[in-house]
Amino acid sequence: YYKDFESIVEDNIDWEQRKFDIIKSAVTGLYSKQSEDYIAKFKIGIIKDLNLFADELIKQLKNNN
């Protein structure tokens, strides 16, 4: 659980790099689970969803620091 981890305070976080890393990890997981046809059909929606997901995750991370 998230609450089980120690809170880490970092002043110099590169949030754009963090967002890129989050999306890269999510895409890797997505490609391992979905067919190429699914990804080709929904590529634009997937990209938008991943960006929204990463933005929300970063917002939550920033609020917890």
Side-chain angles (χ1 to χ4, degrees):
Y1 294 99
Y2 178 78
K3 65 182 178 176
D4 295 333
F5 291 94
E6 180 180 339
S7 180
I8 299 173
V9 177
E10 294 182 43
D11 293 333
N12 298 327
I13 297 173
D14 182 348
W15 290 108
E16 286 301 312
Q17 181 63 44
R18 184 68 57 98
K19 182 177 178 177
F20 173 79
D21 293 338
I22 292 166
I23 292 173
K24 183 173 70 172
S25 295
V27 167
T28 301
L30 180 67
Y31 271 102
S32 69
K33 305 253 186 237
Q34 299 296 333
S35 70
E36 288 182 30
D37 291 337
Y38 173 87
I39 292 168
K41 184 176 180 182
F42 297 106
K43 185 178 359 181
I44 299 300
I46 291 169
I47 292 167
K48 287 179 183 178
D49 288 346
L50 289 173
N51 272 296
L52 291 172
F53 169 77
D55 286 340
E56 183 60 30
L57 182 57
I58 288 170
K59 178 180 164 187
Q60 294 298 319
L61 289 170
K62 286 179 177 180
N63 287 337
N64 287 326
N65 281 336

